[in-house]
Amino acid sequence: MAKKSHARRIANQQRQTESKRNRESRNRSTKRRQSQDANIVELNAPYHHLETAYSPQRARQPLKARTESQRQYIEAIHRHCLTFGIGPAGTGKSYCAGALAAEAMQSGRIERIVLTRPAVEAGESLGFLPGDVDDKFSVYIDAFRDILVERLGSGAVEYALRHGRIVAAPLAFMRGKTFGRNTFVVLDEAQNTTPLQMKMFLTRIGEGCKVVINGDVAQSDIPGRNGLADAIVRVRDLPDVYVHAFERSDIVRSGLVRALIDRYEIADDC
């Protein structure tokens, strides 16, 4: 009997020791998982406190016109191969064009976005800019990049730039190219083109592409007649071409901008 009692005590002690080891092992494993989980951030989680000024929140809603004039301009871009948007700063010409290009790429209606403008400085010389052509031209096209990032997300824009689905290049680099099918082309600041440059650009248009040309005829930084004013006279009555004119009352950037433009233009008229 004594031997059996002793054997049972030893067996109980062994079970208790084994149970204690198992509990300690589970506790260590739990702490290890908690420590690892604390270092994991779900990249797609909608945590608003992770948003910063350097990472703008992607726009989830389709583009909506803020004015009747913008609505007409957006419809014109949808319906025509070539659309001119002319008028003062702050009316949303560039924003609407960039946002529509992003939506078209996102939906699969187009495969490529081409952004271009003449590399003309607004009344002052910036001097030598370091880097290659892309680096030098980026200062001219940053506004469109911000629009695309807002609509598509920064990762999608960086990927598309690396793989040639979004191309940003000076107008001079358009010579010899053809804007083919499934391409959305935006020429901004077109008031700084010469008539010959505008002719060169317009003759790049191929079948099945969509082209938007924006500018303010009254704000040209080049001497003489600019290519935008010249082109509007020449192409206004052509089929599949639409010229949309914004007015000062269509400015949506801010009330102050509208008042400032009124002061400057009224003073110039006087």
Side-chain angles (χ1 to χ4, degrees), residues 256-268:
L256 178 59
V257 170
R258 188 183 304 115
L260 288 169
I261 289 179
D262 284 342
R263 289 296 177 91
Y264 273 91
E265 295 194 357
I266 289 172
D268 290 341

PDB file of all heavy atoms in Angstrom, residues 256-268:
ATOM      1  N   LEU A 256     -11.937  85.675 -52.939  1.00  0.00           N
ATOM      2  CA  LEU A 256     -10.873  86.669 -53.026  1.00  0.00           C
ATOM      3  C   LEU A 256     -10.250  86.671 -54.420  1.00  0.00           C
ATOM      4  O   LEU A 256      -9.962  87.735 -54.980  1.00  0.00           O
ATOM      5  CB  LEU A 256      -9.805  86.395 -51.964  1.00  0.00           C
ATOM      6  CG  LEU A 256      -8.594  87.330 -51.973  1.00  0.00           C
ATOM      7  CD1 LEU A 256      -9.036  88.779 -51.776  1.00  0.00           C
ATOM      8  CD2 LEU A 256      -7.592  86.914 -50.907  1.00  0.00           C
ATOM      9  N   VAL A 257     -10.014  85.477 -54.987  1.00  0.00           N
ATOM     10  CA  VAL A 257      -9.438  85.403 -56.329  1.00  0.00           C
ATOM     11  C   VAL A 257     -10.358  86.095 -57.326  1.00  0.00           C
ATOM     12  O   VAL A 257      -9.907  86.836 -58.212  1.00  0.00           O
ATOM     13  CB  VAL A 257      -9.191  83.933 -56.736  1.00  0.00           C
ATOM     14  CG1 VAL A 257      -8.832  83.844 -58.219  1.00  0.00           C
ATOM     15  CG2 VAL A 257      -8.075  83.337 -55.900  1.00  0.00           C
ATOM     16  N   ARG A 258     -11.664  85.852 -57.211  1.00  0.00           N
ATOM     17  CA  ARG A 258     -12.618  86.504 -58.115  1.00  0.00           C
ATOM     18  C   ARG A 258     -12.526  88.028 -57.985  1.00  0.00           C
ATOM     19  O   ARG A 258     -12.503  88.750 -58.980  1.00  0.00           O
ATOM     20  CB  ARG A 258     -14.032  86.032 -57.803  1.00  0.00           C
ATOM     21  CG  ARG A 258     -15.075  86.501 -58.820  1.00  0.00           C
ATOM     22  CD  ARG A 258     -16.480  86.076 -58.433  1.00  0.00           C
ATOM     23  NE  ARG A 258     -16.561  84.631 -58.254  1.00  0.00           N
ATOM     24  CZ  ARG A 258     -16.813  84.043 -57.092  1.00  0.00           C
ATOM     25  NH1 ARG A 258     -17.009  84.770 -55.990  1.00  0.00           N
ATOM     26  NH2 ARG A 258     -16.883  82.731 -57.008  1.00  0.00           N
ATOM     27  N   ALA A 259     -12.443  88.521 -56.749  1.00  0.00           N
ATOM     28  CA  ALA A 259     -12.360  89.965 -56.537  1.00  0.00           C
ATOM     29  C   ALA A 259     -11.040  90.528 -57.071  1.00  0.00           C
ATOM     30  O   ALA A 259     -11.009  91.625 -57.664  1.00  0.00           O
ATOM     31  CB  ALA A 259     -12.499  90.275 -55.048  1.00  0.00           C
ATOM     32  N   LEU A 260      -9.942  89.802 -56.876  1.00  0.00           N
ATOM     33  CA  LEU A 260      -8.646  90.266 -57.360  1.00  0.00           C
ATOM     34  C   LEU A 260      -8.614  90.334 -58.877  1.00  0.00           C
ATOM     35  O   LEU A 260      -8.093  91.307 -59.458  1.00  0.00           O
ATOM     36  CB  LEU A 260      -7.539  89.336 -56.849  1.00  0.00           C
ATOM     37  CG  LEU A 260      -7.217  89.427 -55.348  1.00  0.00           C
ATOM     38  CD1 LEU A 260      -6.302  88.290 -54.930  1.00  0.00           C
ATOM     39  CD2 LEU A 260      -6.594  90.776 -55.019  1.00  0.00           C
ATOM     40  N   ILE A 261      -9.142  89.309 -59.543  1.00  0.00           N
ATOM     41  CA  ILE A 261      -9.164  89.323 -61.005  1.00  0.00           C
ATOM     42  C   ILE A 261     -10.030  90.465 -61.512  1.00  0.00           C
ATOM     43  O   ILE A 261      -9.698  91.134 -62.500  1.00  0.00           O
ATOM     44  CB  ILE A 261      -9.638  87.963 -61.540  1.00  0.00           C
ATOM     45  CG1 ILE A 261      -8.554  86.901 -61.303  1.00  0.00           C
ATOM     46  CG2 ILE A 261      -9.965  88.049 -63.035  1.00  0.00           C
ATOM     47  CD1 ILE A 261      -8.921  85.516 -61.759  1.00  0.00           C
ATOM     48  N   ASP A 262     -11.154  90.718 -60.839  1.00  0.00           N
ATOM     49  CA  ASP A 262     -11.996  91.849 -61.215  1.00  0.00           C
ATOM     50  C   ASP A 262     -11.213  93.154 -61.139  1.00  0.00           C
ATOM     51  O   ASP A 262     -11.261  93.983 -62.056  1.00  0.00           O
ATOM     52  CB  ASP A 262     -13.222  91.928 -60.300  1.00  0.00           C
ATOM     53  CG  ASP A 262     -14.267  90.881 -60.638  1.00  0.00           C
ATOM     54  OD1 ASP A 262     -14.196  90.338 -61.752  1.00  0.00           O
ATOM     55  OD2 ASP A 262     -15.138  90.606 -59.784  1.00  0.00           O
ATOM     56  N   ARG A 263     -10.470  93.358 -60.053  1.00  0.00           N
ATOM     57  CA  ARG A 263      -9.711  94.595 -59.875  1.00  0.00           C
ATOM     58  C   ARG A 263      -8.652  94.763 -60.957  1.00  0.00           C
ATOM     59  O   ARG A 263      -8.474  95.839 -61.516  1.00  0.00           O
ATOM     60  CB  ARG A 263      -9.072  94.631 -58.495  1.00  0.00           C
ATOM     61  CG  ARG A 263     -10.061  94.819 -57.364  1.00  0.00           C
ATOM     62  CD  ARG A 263     -10.764  96.173 -57.445  1.00  0.00           C
ATOM     63  NE  ARG A 263     -11.751  96.338 -56.408  1.00  0.00           N
ATOM     64  CZ  ARG A 263     -11.522  96.879 -55.225  1.00  0.00           C
ATOM     65  NH1 ARG A 263     -10.283  97.290 -54.917  1.00  0.00           N
ATOM     66  NH2 ARG A 263     -12.491  97.016 -54.345  1.00  0.00           N
ATOM     67  N   TYR A 264      -7.912  93.684 -61.238  1.00  0.00           N
ATOM     68  CA  TYR A 264      -6.846  93.772 -62.222  1.00  0.00           C
ATOM     69  C   TYR A 264      -7.401  93.992 -63.624  1.00  0.00           C
ATOM     70  O   TYR A 264      -6.889  94.822 -64.394  1.00  0.00           O
ATOM     71  CB  TYR A 264      -5.986  92.507 -62.198  1.00  0.00           C
ATOM     72  CG  TYR A 264      -4.867  92.567 -61.181  1.00  0.00           C
ATOM     73  CD1 TYR A 264      -5.064  92.107 -59.892  1.00  0.00           C
ATOM     74  CD2 TYR A 264      -3.631  93.088 -61.505  1.00  0.00           C
ATOM     75  CE1 TYR A 264      -4.058  92.175 -58.938  1.00  0.00           C
ATOM     76  CE2 TYR A 264      -2.610  93.146 -60.580  1.00  0.00           C
ATOM     77  CZ  TYR A 264      -2.821  92.700 -59.288  1.00  0.00           C
ATOM     78  OH  TYR A 264      -1.819  92.773 -58.366  1.00  0.00           O
ATOM     79  N   GLU A 265      -8.441  93.247 -63.996  1.00  0.00           N
ATOM     80  CA  GLU A 265      -8.946  93.339 -65.363  1.00  0.00           C
ATOM     81  C   GLU A 265      -9.741  94.615 -65.581  1.00  0.00           C
ATOM     82  O   GLU A 265      -9.696  95.201 -66.661  1.00  0.00           O
ATOM     83  CB  GLU A 265      -9.786  92.098 -65.689  1.00  0.00           C
ATOM     84  CG  GLU A 265      -8.950  90.832 -65.699  1.00  0.00           C
ATOM     85  CD  GLU A 265      -9.663  89.666 -66.327  1.00  0.00           C
ATOM     86  OE1 GLU A 265     -10.837  89.819 -66.720  1.00  0.00           O
ATOM     87  OE2 GLU A 265      -9.032  88.593 -66.420  1.00  0.00           O
ATOM     88  N   ILE A 266     -10.474  95.064 -64.563  1.00  0.00           N
ATOM     89  CA  ILE A 266     -11.200  96.337 -64.682  1.00  0.00           C
ATOM     90  C   ILE A 266     -10.196  97.483 -64.829  1.00  0.00           C
ATOM     91  O   ILE A 266     -10.367  98.403 -65.624  1.00  0.00           O
ATOM     92  CB  ILE A 266     -12.117  96.554 -63.472  1.00  0.00           C
ATOM     93  CG1 ILE A 266     -13.301  95.570 -63.532  1.00  0.00           C
ATOM     94  CG2 ILE A 266     -12.633  97.988 -63.444  1.00  0.00           C
ATOM     95  CD1 ILE A 266     -14.155  95.580 -62.278  1.00  0.00           C
ATOM     96  N   ALA A 267      -9.098  97.414 -64.037  1.00  0.00           N
ATOM     97  CA  ALA A 267      -8.063  98.454 -64.125  1.00  0.00           C
ATOM     98  C   ALA A 267      -7.419  98.464 -65.510  1.00  0.00           C
ATOM     99  O   ALA A 267      -7.163  99.525 -66.082  1.00  0.00           O
ATOM    100  CB  ALA A 267      -7.003  98.237 -63.049  1.00  0.00           C
ATOM    101  N   ASP A 268      -7.176  97.255 -66.056  1.00  0.00           N
ATOM    102  CA  ASP A 268      -6.558  97.171 -67.387  1.00  0.00           C
ATOM    103  C   ASP A 268      -7.496  97.721 -68.468  1.00  0.00           C
ATOM    104  O   ASP A 268      -7.070  98.351 -69.433  1.00  0.00           O
ATOM    105  CB  ASP A 268      -6.188  95.715 -67.708  1.00  0.00           C
ATOM    106  CG  ASP A 268      -5.027  95.221 -66.859  1.00  0.00           C
ATOM    107  OD1 ASP A 268      -4.301  96.081 -66.308  1.00  0.00           O
ATOM    108  OD2 ASP A 268      -4.845  94.001 -66.742  1.00  0.00           O
TER     109      ASP A 268
END
